[in-house]
Amino acid sequence: MNAGNSQVRGSRAGMVVLGAAVIVGIVVCALLAEPFLGAITWALSLAILFAPFHGWIETKLKHPSLAAMVSVLTIVLLVAVPAAFLVGRLVEEAASGAASVRTRVADGEIQRLLETHPGIAPIGRWIDQQVDLPAMMASLATWLSNAGATFVKGSVLQAAEVVLTFYMLFYFLRDRTAVARLLRDWMPLESTDTERLFQRVFDTVHATVYGTLAVAAVQGSLGGLMFWILGLPTPLLWGVVMSVLSVVPVLGAFIVWIPAAILLLLDGDWGKALILAVWGGIVVGGIDNVLRPMFVGNQLRLHTIPAFISMIGGLALFGAPGFILGPLAVTVTMLLVEVWAARDKVSKQQE
C-alpha cells in the first residue's frame, strides 16, 4: 500500500516538474521569438490569406518547394513591390507638403486669410497672441521632412524584416500540412475544438486584413481621389493618411477632409468645399457601412468595444504586428473560454 502511494506521489511530483519545465521552455522560446515577432506575424498572415492560391499552385506544380517558391514570388509582386512604390511616393509627397507649408507660413498667407474674415479675425488674433503659429507650422514642416529622412534611414532594418518575412513565408506554405498536423497532435483539445480554433484563427486574420484594411484602403482612395480632382496639395499623402485613420476605431477619414473643406470655405471656394463635404460625408463615410458587412460579416465575432480594445491594445503592446495579434488573442481566448465552460458544464452534469 505504501509502495503504491509512493508511486502515485512520485508520478504527481514528476508531472509537476514536467509541467514547470514546459512552462519555462515556453517562456524561453517566446523570448527567443520576440525579435522576430513582426516577421512571424506577417508571414503567418500572408500564408493564411494566400493559402487558397498556393493550393491551386500546388495542383499545377507537384514539387512542394517549387510551388512554394512560385507562390512567394507572386506574393512579392502583389504585395512588396506596390508597397515599396507607395512608400517612395509618400516620402516625396511628405517633402512636397513640408515645402508647401513653409512657403505659406513665410508668405504670411495664413494670417492674411484670417484677417480677410472679420468673423474669425478676433479668434485668429487671440491664437496668434497665445501661440507662435508661424514657428509652430515651421516646426511641423521640419518634423515632416525629418520623419521622411528617418524613415529612409530605417529602411535597411525594414528591408531585413521584409526579407525575413518572405523567407518564413516559404516554409509556412511548403510545410503547412505538417505544421497543422503537429499542432493538432500537441493541442490539449478535442479534435472538433482544435478545428474550431483553427477556423477562428483563419476567420480573424481574414476579417482583420480584408475587412479593416480593405475598407480603409477604399476610403483613403476615395478621399485622395477627390483631393486630386479638386486640385488640393499632396492627394496621395492625404489619401494614405485617411486610410490609416480609417483603420483606427473611433477615428476616421473625416479628421482630414473636414479641415480641408473648412479651409476651402475660408478661401472662398464654396463649390469645392461643398463637393468635398458631400463626398466625404456620404461617399467616404457611407462606404464603411456598405463594405464592412460584406468583407467582415460575422467572422470576427467581436463587439465594438472588445474590437476597439483588441486593436488599440495590440498596437500598444506589440507595435505594428499587434494590429493582427490583438484581435487574434481576444478571439482565441474567447474560444478557449467557451471550450472550458462547455467542459465544466459536462463535468457538473456527470457528477
Side-chain angles (χ1 to χ4, degrees), residues 266-342:
L266 294 176
D267 281 336
D269 292 331
W270 296 83
K272 290 184 178 181
L274 180 60
I275 291 173
L276 183 58
V278 172
W279 182 267
I282 297 178
V283 179
V284 177
I287 200 70
D288 178 79
N289 297 325
V290 175
L291 293 183
R292 193 172 295 276
M294 295 171 56
F295 288 137
V296 180
N298 296 320
Q299 293 185 31
L300 198 55
R301 299 182 180 91
L302 285 179
H303 186 268
T304 303
I305 297 300
F308 173 81
I309 294 175
S310 67
M311 294 183 67
I312 301 300
L315 290 172
L317 185 60
F318 300 110
F323 177 75
I324 293 176
L325 292 178
L328 196 59
V330 173
T331 54
V332 169
T333 302
M334 290 176 61
L335 176 62
L336 295 178
V337 171
E338 292 174 8
V339 172
W340 175 79

Side-chain angles (χ1 to χ4, degrees), residues 11-315:
S11 176
R12 290 177 178 175
M15 289 298 296
V16 170
V17 173
L18 179 60
V22 169
I23 294 174
V24 171
I26 291 175
V27 172
V28 172
C29 289
L31 293 175
L32 292 174
E34 194 274 334
F36 309 99
L37 184 61
I40 294 172
T41 301
W42 303 128
L44 180 60
S45 300
L46 289 172
I48 292 173
L49 295 173
F50 286 90
F53 171 77
H54 178 65
W56 178 78
I57 291 294
E58 280 186 322
T59 61
K60 305 299 181 182
L61 303 174
K62 302 303 181 182
H63 196 284
S65 295
L66 180 59
M69 181 63 69
V70 171
S71 295
V72 169
L73 291 176
T74 304
I75 295 171
V76 168
L77 293 175
L78 292 176
V79 177
V81 173
F85 172 77
L86 181 61
V87 168
R89 289 300 307 272
L90 280 177
V91 173
E92 294 177 3
E93 294 282 9
S96 175
S100 176
V101 169
R102 285 197 185 96
T103 301
R104 298 188 68 174
V105 170
D107 293 343
E109 183 178 340
I110 296 177
Q111 286 77 5
R112 290 195 299 271
L113 177 63
L114 293 173
E115 293 297 336
T116 54
H117 295 80
I120 62 173
I123 300 177
R125 285 192 293 269
W126 180 83
I127 293 176
D128 187 57
Q129 293 173 358
Q130 302 298 321
V131 180
D132 190 352
L133 187 60
M136 185 176 66
M137 297 299 290
S139 298
L140 175 61
T142 303
W143 179 84
L144 287 173
S145 298
N146 292 337
T150 301
F151 182 84
V152 171
K153 291 179 182 178
S155 60
V156 175
L157 295 177
Q158 298 296 328
E161 183 172 342
V162 169
V163 171
L164 186 59
T165 296
F166 288 106
Y167 173 77
M168 292 182 177
L169 177 61
F170 172 83
Y171 291 102
F172 283 169
L173 291 174
R174 192 193 69 175
D175 303 327
R176 71 189 192 285
T177 302
V179 172
R181 187 185 308 115
L182 182 64
L183 290 176
R184 288 186 177 93
D185 293 338
W186 283 2
M187 286 290 180
L189 299 172
E190 301 292 338
S191 59
T192 54
D193 294 330
T194 301
E195 295 304 321
R196 287 176 60 199
L197 179 63
F198 284 176
Q199 190 61 49
R200 187 67 63 89
V201 170
F202 296 153
D203 290 345
T204 300
V205 172
H206 279 87
T208 302
V209 176
Y210 288 138
T212 305
L213 292 185
V215 172
V218 171
Q219 288 184 304
S221 299
L222 291 173
L225 175 64
M226 185 52 63
F227 270 51
W228 176 73
I229 292 175
L230 296 178
L232 297 176
T234 60
L236 179 61
L237 174 64
W238 291 118
V240 173
V241 171
M242 283 186 275
S243 295
V244 173
L245 291 174
S246 299
V247 169
V248 183
V250 179
L251 302 180
F254 66 90
I255 293 180
V256 173
W257 64 258
I258 286 181
I262 293 174
L263 287 176
L264 287 173
L265 188 64
L266 294 176
D267 281 336
D269 292 331
W270 296 83
K272 290 184 178 181
L274 180 60
I275 291 173
L276 183 58
V278 172
W279 182 267
I282 297 178
V283 179
V284 177
I287 200 70
D288 178 79
N289 297 325
V290 175
L291 293 183
R292 193 172 295 276
M294 295 171 56
F295 288 137
V296 180
N298 296 320
Q299 293 185 31
L300 198 55
R301 299 182 180 91
L302 285 179
H303 186 268
T304 303
I305 297 300
F308 173 81
I309 294 175
S310 67
M311 294 183 67
I312 301 300
L315 290 172

